[in-house]
Amino acid sequence: MFKRRDVTASCLILAKIICRKKTRLNMIMESLHEYLETVAGYIFDDDKLVTYKWLSKELEVHVNIAKQILWEFWQKYKEKKQFECVFLLMGHLHDDGMRVEIVKEKNLSTAKEKYSKIISKHVYSLQKTLPETQLLMLAEDGDVKFSGIKCIENNERNDEEIHMFRWGTASREIESASREQVQSSVSEAASERKATSPEGKQVAKKKNADRKGFDNLFGKAINKQKNPSASSNADKVEVDSFNHKKETSKNVSAEKKKNTQKGGLSNFLELGKNQTKTPADSLNKGKSANSSDKECANSFDAEKGANSLTKEATEEKVSKTGFKQIQNMRSKKRNRSKETNNAVKKRKRIAIQSDSSNSEPSDNENESELDLPLSPESSPAFLKDRSVSPPQVKHENGKRKVLKIVDKTFEEDGFLVTKKVHVYESCSEEEPEIIEPKNEKKIVSESHSEVKGKKNTKQTTLMNFFKK
Amino acid sequence: MFEARLVQSAILKKVLDAIKDLLTEATFECSDSGIQVQAMDNAHVSLVSLNLRSDGFDKYRCDRNLSMGMSIACMSKILRCAGSEDTVTLRAVDNPENITFIFESPNKEKLAEYEMKLINMDQEHLGIPETSYSCVVKMPSQEFSRICRDLSQFGESITFACSKEGIKFSASGDYGQATVKLAQTADADNEEEAVVVNMQEPVKLTFSCRYLNCFIKAGPLCAQVQLSMSNDVPLVCEYKIGDIGHIRYYLAPKIDDDEEN
C-alpha cells in the first residue's frame, strides 16, 4: 500500500516533470516562432542587413541562438521568399592555409571547393538584397554580453590604408606600432594578473581583460604587418583563424575542435617558417614573458593537450549547464586560448631560425584583401580623409610620390587665383603629406603680404584724373 | 557721306592691332579734320586716344560729323581680310547704320567689300586736361616693348623712375626683383635708337604690367615711343602713326594704399 502510494507519487512527479518539459518545449517553439516573425519583419519590412551578431544584440539572445534562428529562418523561407543569404565559411585550404570568409549563397559551392576541410559553416546574415558583401560592414557589431566578439582595435580601413599596407609603410606608423606594443604588453600583464585570480565574481572583469589580451594579438599582427619587409599574409590568416575559432567554437563539436587545434598547429608551423623576423616582433615576444624559450616545443605540446582536454570538458559542461555557466566557461576558455597564442608565439620564434623561405599560396592575393590586419586607432589621419580610390603613385629617387590635387593660390593680373593643381607629392612620411599643402599656402600668402608690405599699391582709375 | 581712303591698309591694320586688346568697342568720331577715337577700357584704368588727321588720308571726305560705334573685334576681323598691299576705303552714308570697308588690290583686279553694322553707344568723351609733364622720355619702341615684357614676368607692376641720368624700370615679385636702367644717349646721331630724357623734376610711378603690355602692341606703328610722366598723374604713352596722326595711351598709376589712408 505504502509502496503503491509511493509509486503513484513518483508517477505523479514524473508526469509533472514531463508536463513541465513539454510546456518548456512549447514555450521554446513559441518563442522561436516569435523570433522568426521578428526576423521576417527586419528583413522584409525594415530592409535591414540581419547579421547574427546584430540579431543577438537586438533580440538579446546568445550569438549561437541568433545563428540558429537565422538558420531556421533560412530553412523555412528560402523556397517561399526572395532574400539573400550570406554564409560564413571557415576551414583549411588545400595548401594548409586557413581561411575565413563570408560568401553569398550562390557562391557557396564554388567557395567550398577551396577548402580541404571546412570547420564551420553558418549563416552570417540574411537580407533582402546585397549587391556587395562588403556592405555587411555597415551592420552593427554584436554585443559582448551575448558572446559576440568585438575587437576594440578593429577599424575598418580605407583604401589609403590598404594601399599603405600593400606598398610599404611610413616611419610614423612604426612609431605608433611601438606605442601599441607598450600598450599591449601592459594590458597583457593586466590580463595575466586577473587570470590568476579564480574568483567567480571577477568573471565579468576577467572577460574584459581577456578580450584585451586577445586584442593584443591584433596589435601584434599589425606590428608585423607594418614592417616594410615582406610581411607574411600567413600571419593575418593565423590571427583571423584564432578570432573566428572562438566565434564559432560553439557551433563546432569537440571532435572538430581537436581538428582545428591540429590544423592550427600545422598552420602555425608552416607560418613560422614564413615568418620574417623584425625588431618589432622580437620586442613583442620579449615582452610576452609567459614562458621560457628553451622548452617551447615541449610546453607547447603539453599546453595543447591540456587545452584540448579542457575544451572537451567545457563542452560537456556546456551541454549540461545553463547559459550563465556557458559564459563562465567561455571566459576560462579564453584564458586557454590566450595561452595557446603565447605558445604560438614561441613556436614562431623557433621556426624563424630554421627557415625563412617564403612560399605564399596562390590565393594569397585574395586573402590579403580579406584578412588585412586591423588598423590601429592611432592613425586618425587615415580615417579622416577616405579616398574613393587609391591615388596615382610614381617612384622617384626611391621616394614614393602620390598624385594629389592641391589648392594653389597665385596672383594673376592683380587677382588672387586659386586653382586645383595636380601635384606629385612625396608621401614617404605621413606627417609632411598632410602638412605640405598648408605650408605651401602659407608661403604663398607670406610672399603676398611681403609684396604688399613693400608697396601696398592700388590701381587708380582714370576717372580720378579726367572729367567727363 | 563719309569716305576715307588709305593707300596703305597696313597702317589701319596695325592701329586695330594696337587697340583691340584694350577695347571691345569704340566710337569713331569723323569730322572734317579727321577721325578721332577716345575710349577707355572696361576697368577705366587706361584710355586710348587715336587721332588720324584728314590730310593723312589719300582721299578724305566728310560732309557731316559722324560718330560711329564700332565693334573693335569685328573691325579687326575685317581688316585682317585685307592684303597688306591693298588700298582701303571706309565709306558710310550720312545717317549710317553700316560702314563699308572696301579693299582694292594694287593691280585693281580684286575688289572686296565688307559691311559692318554699327552699334549705338553712349557718348563718353573725357576732357583730358593739357598738362606739362615733369618728364618726357623718348626711346625706341622696341626697347620699351622688350622691357615691359621682361619685367612683367617678375611682377604685376612696373615702377618707372626717371632722373637726370636716365630712366629706371623695376619690378619685384615672388621670384625676385628685376631692374632695367636706360641711360640717355650721349650723341643722338641715330634718332630712332636714341633715348632722350627731358626732365623737369624726377618722377617715380608704378603702373600695371597688364596695360603696358597692351600698349606695346602699338610698337610696330612707330620706331619711337614717347612716355610723358608726372607724379600722381596718368602716364601718356604716345606712338606716332606715320605722318597721319598718333595713338596715345593714358594709364592711371598705381598709388600707395598707405598714402591714401
Side-chain angles (χ1 to χ4, degrees):
Chain A
M1 187 67 185
F2 181 77
K3 246 188 184 177
R4 205 195 294 165
R5 202 184 291 163
D6 205 21
V7 168
T8 47
S10 60
C11 269
L12 264 173
I13 290 162
L14 208 75
K16 265 184 191 172
I17 288 167
I18 288 165
C19 231
R20 220 177 280 160
K21 267 194 180 172
K22 256 190 185 173
T23 49
R24 196 175 287 167
L25 195 73
N26 281 338
M27 273 171 70
I28 287 167
M29 286 312 287
E30 268 174 41
S31 60
L32 181 65
H33 279 298
E34 255 174 57
Y35 282 151
L36 289 182
E37 266 173 46
T38 334
V39 171
Y42 286 142
I43 294 170
F44 299 113
D45 300 337
D46 300 347
D47 205 5
K48 292 223 189 245
L49 302 177
V50 183
T51 63
Y52 70 92
K53 281 189 184 182
W54 179 82
L55 190 69
S56 94
K57 194 180 178 183
E58 197 72 13
L59 302 180
E60 300 191 333
V61 295
H62 194 267
V63 276
N64 287 347
I65 294 170
K67 285 174 199 168
Q68 209 60 48
I69 291 168
L70 288 181
W71 177 256
E72 289 288 339
F73 186 86
W74 186 64
Q75 288 293 330
K76 198 172 172 186
Y77 291 109
K78 67 177 170 184
E79 305 299 333
K80 297 177 205 163
K81 294 202 176 180
Q82 275 263 304
F83 63 99
E84 280 192 67
C85 180
V86 174
F87 285 92
L88 186 141
L89 281 180
M90 183 180 359
H92 304 295
L93 298 169
H94 294 294
D95 52 12
D96 286 343
M98 244 192 126
R99 184 176 170 84
V100 179
E101 66 177 339
I102 52 170
V103 286
K104 286 190 193 175
E105 185 192 347
K106 60 181 176 191
N107 304 327
L108 190 61
S109 51
T110 46
K112 273 183 176 172
E113 284 168 16
K114 277 184 280 190
Y115 296 89
S116 60
K117 181 160 186 70
I118 288 172
I119 299 159
S120 172
K121 172 196 150 189
H122 67 79
V123 180
Y124 184 83
S125 74
L126 298 175
Q127 56 278 312
K128 231 197 279 186
T129 51
L130 187 72
E132 277 286 327
T133 45
Q134 281 177 2
L135 284 176
L136 289 171
M137 302 280 265
L138 299 174
E140 272 179 80
D141 287 326
D143 202 320
V144 198
K145 225 178 3 183
F146 311 108
S147 299
I149 288 173
K150 196 200 169 205
C151 178
I152 297 160
E153 289 177 35
N154 179 5
N155 289 323
E156 290 167 39
R157 51 185 69 259
N158 55 36
D159 291 336
E160 232 173 288
E161 275 174 289
I162 286 170
H163 193 87
M164 285 295 276
F165 283 119
R166 208 169 280 169
W167 295 104
T169 45
S171 56
R172 187 183 159 228
E173 267 189 303
I174 287 163
E175 229 173 79
S176 73
S178 60
R179 217 186 309 133
E180 245 167 66
Q181 283 164 23
V182 174
Q183 279 176 356
S184 69
S185 63
V186 167
S187 62
E188 213 171 57
S191 71
E192 229 117 59
R193 237 180 287 130
K194 272 175 188 161
T196 47
S197 65
E199 289 303 311
K201 279 181 189 173
Q202 286 187 327
V203 161
K205 271 189 186 176
K206 239 195 250 177
K207 251 179 154 185
N208 273 336
D210 286 348
R211 238 178 341 114
K212 268 187 203 159
F214 188 70
D215 289 345
N216 289 340
L217 283 177
F218 289 89
K220 274 162 201 170
I222 294 157
N223 296 345
K224 281 166 203 161
Q225 196 59 31
K226 268 174 192 152
N227 295 316
S229 62
S231 53
S232 55
N233 286 328
D235 258 347
K236 304 165 223 155
V237 178
E238 165 206 326
V239 169
D240 258 34
S241 71
F242 261 101
N243 183 12
H244 283 277
K245 215 192 291 168
K246 275 189 206 152
E247 218 169 276
T248 52
S249 57
K250 277 172 197 163
N251 264 2
V252 192
S253 69
E255 193 191 282
K256 265 191 183 169
K257 242 181 210 165
K258 264 187 212 164
N259 280 336
T260 321
Q261 206 68 30
K262 267 185 204 165
L265 182 62
S266 63
N267 222 10
F268 299 144
L269 286 169
E270 274 294 307
L271 296 172
K273 278 177 200 163
N274 293 343
Q275 197 79 23
T276 41
K277 196 173 183 180
T278 57
D281 243 34
S282 57
L283 210 140
N284 224 334
K285 278 170 201 157
K287 276 184 180 168
S288 67
N290 203 14
S291 52
S292 60
D293 288 344
K294 295 181 245 166
E295 307 163 58
C296 325
N298 287 344
S299 66
F300 182 70
D301 277 345
E303 258 172 18
K304 184 202 146 202
N307 253 352
S308 56
L309 265 175
T310 46
K311 271 184 188 170
E312 271 177 302
T314 47
E315 208 62 31
E316 275 174 12
K317 276 181 197 167
V318 164
S319 59
K320 280 177 194 165
T321 53
F323 182 66
K324 277 180 188 174
Q325 246 172 340
I326 292 172
Q327 276 189 328
N328 279 349
M329 288 343 277
R330 265 194 76 74
S331 64
K332 273 182 199 166
K333 258 202 284 184
R334 284 188 180 172
N335 280 341
R336 298 282 171 227
S337 55
K338 207 193 82 196
E339 276 170 18
T340 37
N341 286 333
N342 284 341
V344 167
K345 270 182 257 153
K346 280 177 265 155
R347 196 72 195 163
K348 273 187 227 148
R349 212 190 214 171
I350 287 172
I352 291 155
Q353 292 153 350
S354 65
D355 194 0
S356 65
S357 69
N358 203 344
S359 61
E360 303 207 342
S362 57
D363 60 343
N364 255 354
E365 197 67 41
N366 225 344
E367 220 139 54
S368 66
E369 262 166 51
L370 279 169
D371 308 332
L372 272 171
L374 309 139
S375 73
E377 276 177 328
S378 56
S379 59
F382 272 146
L383 302 172
K384 265 181 220 160
D385 49 348
R386 285 174 152 252
S387 64
V388 181
S389 59
Q392 215 172 312
V393 179
K394 77 169 180 182
H395 291 268
E396 204 176 78
N397 305 331
K399 280 189 178 177
R400 200 167 64 90
K401 296 200 164 182
V402 174
L403 188 64
K404 280 193 167 180
I405 297 175
V406 177
D407 273 342
K408 280 201 171 174
T409 314
F410 41 84
E411 270 184 293
E412 195 177 85
D413 295 334
F415 300 101
L416 274 178
V417 180
T418 307
K419 279 185 181 172
K420 293 218 182 277
V421 186
H422 283 270
V423 178
Y424 272 107
E425 279 183 9
S426 88
C427 68
S428 57
E429 282 161 69
E430 225 175 301
E431 208 86 61
E433 199 179 305
I434 299 151
I435 289 165
E436 247 174 84
K438 278 185 203 161
N439 278 350
E440 245 166 2
K441 264 182 210 162
K442 229 187 238 171
I443 289 160
V444 169
S445 61
E446 265 171 19
S447 64
H448 277 315
S449 62
E450 266 176 31
V451 168
K452 270 166 196 164
K454 268 183 197 164
K455 36 174 184 162
N456 226 348
T457 53
K458 190 186 131 193
Q459 179 67 60
T460 54
T461 66
L462 282 172
M463 304 307 276
N464 300 347
F465 305 98
F466 303 146
K467 286 165 222 141
K468 279 191 184 181
Chain B
M1 180 72 176
F2 165 77
E3 196 177 88
R5 182 187 163 97
L6 203 57
V7 173
Q8 287 177 285
S9 68
I11 290 176
L12 205 55
K13 278 165 168 256
K14 283 178 192 166
V15 168
L16 259 293
D17 283 342
I19 61 173
K20 73 173 196 299
D21 288 346
L22 279 172
L23 309 173
T24 53
E25 46 200 31
T27 308
F28 284 67
E29 312 263 2
C30 304
S31 68
D32 206 26
S33 58
I35 303 171
Q36 281 196 319
V37 178
Q38 195 203 72
M40 281 192 285
D41 71 302
N42 291 331
H44 289 207
V45 171
S46 66
L47 181 141
V48 179
S49 172
L50 173 71
N51 192 1
L52 301 170
R53 288 188 309 273
S54 55
D55 52 37
F57 288 92
D58 298 300
K59 186 186 172 191
Y60 191 88
R61 178 186 162 191
C62 186
D63 298 345
R64 288 179 57 180
N65 286 1
L66 296 175
S67 53
M68 295 180 285
M70 294 192 212
S71 157
I72 299 300
C74 184
M75 194 175 173
S76 172
K77 273 180 197 165
I78 289 171
L79 281 167
R80 238 179 280 158
C81 300
S84 55
E85 303 293 305
D86 288 0
T87 300
V88 60
T89 306
L90 310 181
R91 190 181 289 157
V93 293
D94 274 349
N95 275 315
E97 287 190 351
N98 300 303
I99 184 167
T100 312
F101 295 82
I102 302 153
F103 304 130
E104 282 172 278
S105 67
N107 50 19
K108 311 262 176 194
E109 281 170 353
K110 184 183 164 192
L111 187 89
E113 271 194 43
Y114 296 87
E115 211 172 77
M116 186 178 77
K117 281 178 187 157
L118 298 176
I119 29 181
N120 277 324
M121 284 182 68
D122 295 332
Q123 289 286 357
E124 205 184 42
H125 206 90
L126 290 178
I128 299 165
E130 278 293 317
T131 321
S132 59
Y133 289 93
S134 309
C135 282
V136 177
V137 180
K138 283 185 180 174
M139 61 185 289
S141 59
Q142 269 192 325
E143 192 65 60
F144 182 60
S145 305
R146 181 73 193 272
I147 288 166
C148 288
R149 268 200 299 269
D150 289 352
L151 296 195
S152 62
Q153 300 186 64
F154 284 86
E156 59 174 20
S157 54
I158 300 178
T159 301
F160 292 35
C162 197
S163 64
K164 261 181 237 164
E165 290 80 41
I167 183 163
K168 186 177 93 176
F169 305 90
S170 58
S172 68
D174 297 347
Y175 303 115
Q177 207 174 10
T179 308
V180 177
K181 277 184 201 161
L182 284 183
Q184 198 162 182
T185 317
D187 46 345
D189 45 344
N190 192 344
E191 231 175 82
E192 284 193 350
E193 287 171 17
V195 176
V196 180
V197 178
N198 202 332
M199 191 204 79
Q200 257 74 50
E201 53 180 294
V203 292
K204 194 178 177 187
L205 290 162
T206 304
F207 302 104
S208 164
C209 287
R210 185 184 159 200
Y211 293 99
L212 292 171
N213 282 334
C214 291
F215 298 171
I216 60 174
K217 297 276 163 61
L221 282 169
C222 186
Q224 281 264 318
V225 59
Q226 180 180 303
L227 307 171
S228 308
M229 291 168 282
S230 281
N231 278 327
D232 297 324
V233 297
L235 161 84
V236 185
C237 181
E238 182 180 326
Y239 292 88
K240 294 255 180 292
I241 305 170
D243 49 2
I244 69 166
H246 61 255
I247 183 164
R248 279 187 193 145
Y249 297 100
Y250 293 84
L251 178 59
K254 285 188 158 187
I255 56 162
D256 290 352
D257 234 357
D258 305 332
E259 233 168 71
E260 203 186 36
N261 293 337

